Amino acid sequence: MTHWIIAPVVLPAFLAPFIVLAARYHMGIQRVFSVAGVLALIAIAAGLVWQASDGTVTLYQLSDWAAPFGIVLVADRLSTMMVLLTSILALMVLLYGIGSKWDERGRHFHALFQFQIMGIMGAFLTGDLFNLFVFFEILLIASYGLMIHSGGNVRLKAGVQYVSFNLIGSTLFLFALGSIYAETGTLNMADLAARAQMVGAEQTVGIRVAAVLLLLVFAIKAALVPLHVWLPSSYAEAPPVVAALFAIMTKVGAYAIIRVYTMIFPESLEATAGLHHTWLMPFALLSLALGMIGLLAAKKLDRLVAFSVVGSMGMVMVAISMFSEAGISAALYYIVHSTFAAAALFLIVDLVEQSRDDLQLTTQPPIAGAPLTAGLFFAAAIAMAGLPPLSGFVGKLLILNAGFSEGAMPWIWAIILGSSLISVVGFARAGSVVFWKSESLRPEVDEDDDDSQEVSEDDQQAPSALAYGAVMGLLALIALHTVLAGPMTRYMQATSAQLFAPDAYMEKVLDTPGKLSKPKDSSKEDH
Amino acid sequence: MELLVASAIGLLTAAGIYLILRLRTFPVILGLSLITYAVNVFLFASGRLTIGAPPVLMDDVTRYTDPLPQALVLTAIVISFGMTAVVVMIALGAFLGADDDAVDDGPDEQATETEDAV
């Protein structure tokens, strides 16, 4: 029964090599297996969410080794929710990739896609910090391949920047893990949470350095200003369908911050007092402001969307850095929303790009399928900017509400509301330049030559129904997230409450018997 | 010995950071490798430095070296080696394609690139 926890990792791990080895030259078979795999993942993830929804923490001990010695996977409310979110996003992105034929423009798209999912799922499920590092590397190495999918000079150059930056991040992660191990003698998260409490008041230097290093690493993943510099160009130059999948990658960083800094280094821990609880908020507000200003300043549509990702991650981090139950539950609601919204926007960028020469924010003749694409952009932009009918508004309200009791409340309110206004202006400008004004160019072209106009209309064929369906599916999910805001919020509150009462999690991990669980008292006390 | 190992880690890291800041693909990759060497030694030292002791955990053995950091280092070496190979290939592709090995974007590169594309 509990073996289901490892299924989200094992299934893509087997599927990917199968696709490479057996279905290498058969795009049809690759597509069938890839979609079937993701559908199965959704079913498994839904089962895991159902299992965790009553608050039970499920443990999976690999090879039955007991917790601090063996690697464990843990499924609680937070991790199962993120697993389900990932699998749903993956389905939509995959359908779009098939519908827009992006998967044919380079080799091994589906295999890399499955490896990427494997890494993300593992990062959400693992209960061990070093294992988290390993899954980070799996998702990164798959993302390197996806990022430069279908090649091109600009994309390769952005790929070099992306890979170098993330390699530095991985090295920092190892430094952090080394110092944590040197200080506490364990890397299991639950064990670490118990041992961090025992660090003497005079010996906090090492653990403080480790806590800050770890925060830096996760902040790189979460694209927190000033560590966001890798994001705009790599997300803009990556194939849009890949960038849409990457919408979940920044959330892996946010997830890691939530997990580590509520359980291992909570606010009540004296050893790390005055570090992240003080310093995360200003940087979160800064990245919210900078993301939205960048959105307004962007000259290309893809950069605009990339900066909106930076801004929305800033919003998530503002909610997280309150480190309160209300703040985290608002952050979780917003994480789900912004994942779908960012993915939808990237896919719409691709819909636009298919029939335009470039993505400059200049007025050009209408693209094929313009009315529908414009409508989708309108809806997605409303969602991302957080205007009333869609879930961005609900999420923002929740964050504002949670910020009401904070000391930095004037700053939080001023920057969230101000940046929302800026993002509305930015999206409105982009939408009017790309979609609205292009209608004014149509008669001008008609005057030239009627025949040539018809030919060019034929040349630029409208994107396929499947591609549109995937984008509409994402927007429908956002609408669903809005309609079900009540139950979703209650679920997020329960999740957040579970995070702030980590005792059940720690007991489950540390007290479940397995191999080597007996000599734990005698042999592991040497550090 | 602690001083020797610590200064070696520090020196490798410093040289690595300097090379990364050169912002050309070859020095950057060399710098990344140096930093990964540094972090490997650092991980190794995180289990305390013990000379001539077996890496075992048993009740009757009193003097031993911590086996876990060695396993961690092995994993880290494999991963960083693979990653370096990937970055070499991508950087080579970027260099051969664009005939330019600068890592950062030039001041107005974005503008000129798109003008070229038009």
Side-chain angles (χ1 to χ4, degrees):
Chain A
M1 181 59 199
T2 47
H3 283 286
W4 285 111
I5 300 178
I6 204 172
V9 182
V10 170
L11 181 69
F14 276 104
L15 214 48
F18 176 79
I19 288 172
V20 173
L21 297 174
R24 196 168 185 170
Y25 302 107
H26 308 280
M27 186 51 83
I29 299 176
Q30 287 188 21
R31 285 173 172 172
V32 168
F33 273 96
S34 211
V35 173
V38 174
L39 283 174
L41 272 184
I42 291 180
I44 295 166
L48 288 176
V49 167
W50 178 76
Q51 196 180 21
S53 60
D54 59 349
T56 44
V57 180
T58 326
L59 182 75
Y60 183 78
Q61 297 170 324
L62 276 91
S63 303
D64 201 29
W65 291 100
F69 304 101
I71 293 168
V72 290
L73 301 183
V74 190
D76 66 348
R77 282 205 182 100
L78 177 62
S79 40
T80 52
M81 184 195 91
M82 298 303 285
V83 164
L84 184 62
L85 175 67
T86 310
S87 51
I88 293 174
L89 176 79
L91 178 68
M92 293 302 167
V93 172
L94 193 59
L95 289 180
Y96 185 90
I98 295 170
S100 63
K101 298 199 166 48
W102 261 105
D103 55 349
E104 288 175 0
R105 296 191 203 178
R107 272 187 290 173
H108 306 313
F109 177 85
H110 290 288
L112 287 168
F113 193 91
Q114 295 293 331
F115 273 129
Q116 173 91 55
I117 294 174
M118 173 201 168
I120 296 173
M121 296 295 188
F124 286 141
L125 284 171
T126 184
D128 184 283
L129 270 184
F130 196 83
N131 201 226
L132 181 68
F133 165 76
V134 174
F135 279 120
F136 263 31
E137 295 305 308
I138 293 174
L139 76 88
L140 281 175
I141 203 155
S143 78
Y144 300 156
L146 284 175
M147 154 98 213
I148 56 169
H149 180 71
S150 92
N153 289 340
V154 184
R155 190 166 290 152
L156 277 173
K157 180 161 183 178
V160 173
Q161 295 170 349
Y162 174 72
V163 178
S164 313
F165 208 88
N166 274 302
L167 271 179
I168 299 170
S170 306
T171 317
L172 268 182
F173 201 166
L174 282 174
F175 273 117
L177 292 178
S179 10
I180 286 181
Y181 186 76
E183 288 299 312
T184 62
T186 184
L187 288 169
N188 181 286
M189 291 189 204
D191 199 26
L192 196 55
R195 278 166 190 250
Q197 311 274 351
M198 292 189 257
V199 174
E202 309 84 44
Q203 301 161 327
T204 57
V205 181
I207 199 89
R208 284 170 79 89
V209 169
V212 172
L213 275 177
L214 211 53
L215 188 66
L216 277 179
V217 176
F218 297 148
I220 289 176
K221 306 285 178 239
L224 193 71
V225 172
L227 301 170
H228 72 292
V229 284
W230 60 275
L231 192 141
S233 61
S234 48
Y235 276 40
E237 302 305 345
V241 53
V242 172
L245 180 66
F246 284 6
I248 194 74
M249 293 235 302
T250 45
K251 273 70 180 184
V252 179
Y255 162 83
I257 290 180
I258 294 177
R259 176 68 81 202
V260 169
Y261 292 89
T262 56
M263 189 166 75
I264 302 177
F265 306 114
E267 202 161 10
S268 55
L269 188 70
E270 269 182 46
T272 54
L275 290 177
H276 39 275
H277 301 100
T278 317
W279 290 105
L280 200 53
M281 181 63 89
F283 287 111
L285 288 171
L286 191 65
S287 58
L288 173 58
L290 201 116
M292 294 311 177
I293 294 170
L295 189 160
L296 187 64
K299 290 178 183 162
K300 290 174 75 182
L301 199 56
D302 47 3
R303 298 231 160 211
L304 179 138
V305 178
F307 271 103
S308 79
V309 171
V310 175
S312 74
M313 277 317 289
M315 185 82 82
V316 169
M317 294 308 300
V318 166
I320 290 176
S321 53
M322 295 172 195
F323 288 107
S324 64
E325 267 192 52
I328 299 279
S329 72
L332 294 176
Y333 185 87
Y334 201 83
I335 281 177
V336 175
H337 153 77
S338 79
T339 305
F340 289 143
L345 276 171
F346 274 118
L347 296 184
I348 291 164
V349 166
D350 189 55
L351 289 179
V352 174
E353 194 177 21
Q354 286 188 7
S355 36
R356 270 175 75 130
D357 296 333
D358 61 70
L359 288 167
Q360 296 286 328
L361 287 179
T362 51
T363 307
Q364 293 177 10
I367 55 172
L372 189 54
T373 311
L376 292 173
F377 179 80
F378 186 58
I382 282 178
M384 192 48 128
L387 286 176
L390 293 174
S391 56
F393 180 69
V394 183
K396 209 170 278 187
L397 268 187
L398 287 171
I399 295 174
L400 286 175
N401 192 32
F404 207 70
S405 52
E406 294 292 308
M409 176 260 182
W411 289 99
I412 297 174
W413 276 59
I415 293 181
I416 289 184
L417 295 176
S419 67
S420 303
L421 180 67
I422 297 176
S423 72
V424 170
V425 174
F427 275 119
R429 187 187 66 122
S432 68
V433 167
V434 173
F435 298 110
W436 191 279
K437 289 185 188 162
S438 64
E439 287 299 322
S440 65
L441 287 185
R442 194 193 284 276
E444 205 175 298
V445 182
D446 274 345
E447 280 166 20
D448 295 347
D449 191 352
D450 263 20
D451 294 336
S452 72
Q453 167 67 9
E454 270 168 28
V455 169
S456 71
E457 282 269 340
D458 286 342
D459 273 353
Q460 44 162 257
Q461 50 188 354
S464 72
L466 187 58
Y468 274 122
V471 180
M472 284 175 192
L474 281 171
L475 291 175
L477 285 167
I478 293 175
L480 198 67
H481 194 44
T482 320
V483 174
L484 297 179
M488 285 304 278
T489 315
R490 274 194 291 283
Y491 189 80
M492 302 307 177
Q493 277 163 352
T495 309
S496 180
Q498 192 180 34
L499 284 171
F500 280 91
D503 290 345
Y505 181 105
M506 286 159 63
E507 267 170 32
K508 181 79 186 174
V509 174
L510 294 177
D511 294 346
T512 306
K515 279 187 227 167
L516 263 186
S517 61
K518 253 188 269 171
K520 186 168 69 176
D521 305 320
S522 56
S523 68
K524 199 59 188 178
E525 293 299 321
D526 43 83
H527 284 285
Chain B
M1 187 173 70
E2 276 81 1
L3 180 71
L4 196 66
V5 173
S7 50
I9 296 171
L11 204 65
L12 280 171
T13 314
I17 291 173
Y18 173 77
L19 283 173
I20 286 175
L21 295 179
R22 304 282 292 174
L23 292 178
R24 295 265 158 188
T25 47
F26 186 63
V28 164
I29 292 169
L30 278 189
L32 282 170
S33 323
L34 283 185
I35 287 194
T36 52
Y37 293 145
V39 81
N40 289 340
V41 180
F42 181 80
L43 271 184
F44 192 74
S46 73
R48 306 293 182 272
L49 297 167
T50 320
I51 297 178
V56 286
L57 285 175
M58 280 162 72
D59 288 339
D60 50 339
V61 176
T62 49
R63 198 170 158 280
Y64 57 84
T65 179
D66 194 340
L68 190 70
Q70 310 192 1
L72 300 187
V73 169
L74 265 181
T75 317
I77 289 174
V78 171
I79 289 178
S80 62
F81 190 70
M83 292 294 178
T84 312
V86 171
V87 73
V88 166
M89 289 313 292
I90 297 178
L92 199 62
F95 172 62
L96 293 177
D99 203 21
D100 177 25
D101 70 341
V103 173
D104 59 333
D105 290 335
D108 273 327
E109 197 160 314
Q110 220 195 310
T112 50
E113 269 166 18
T114 42
E115 274 162 29
D116 291 347
V118 173

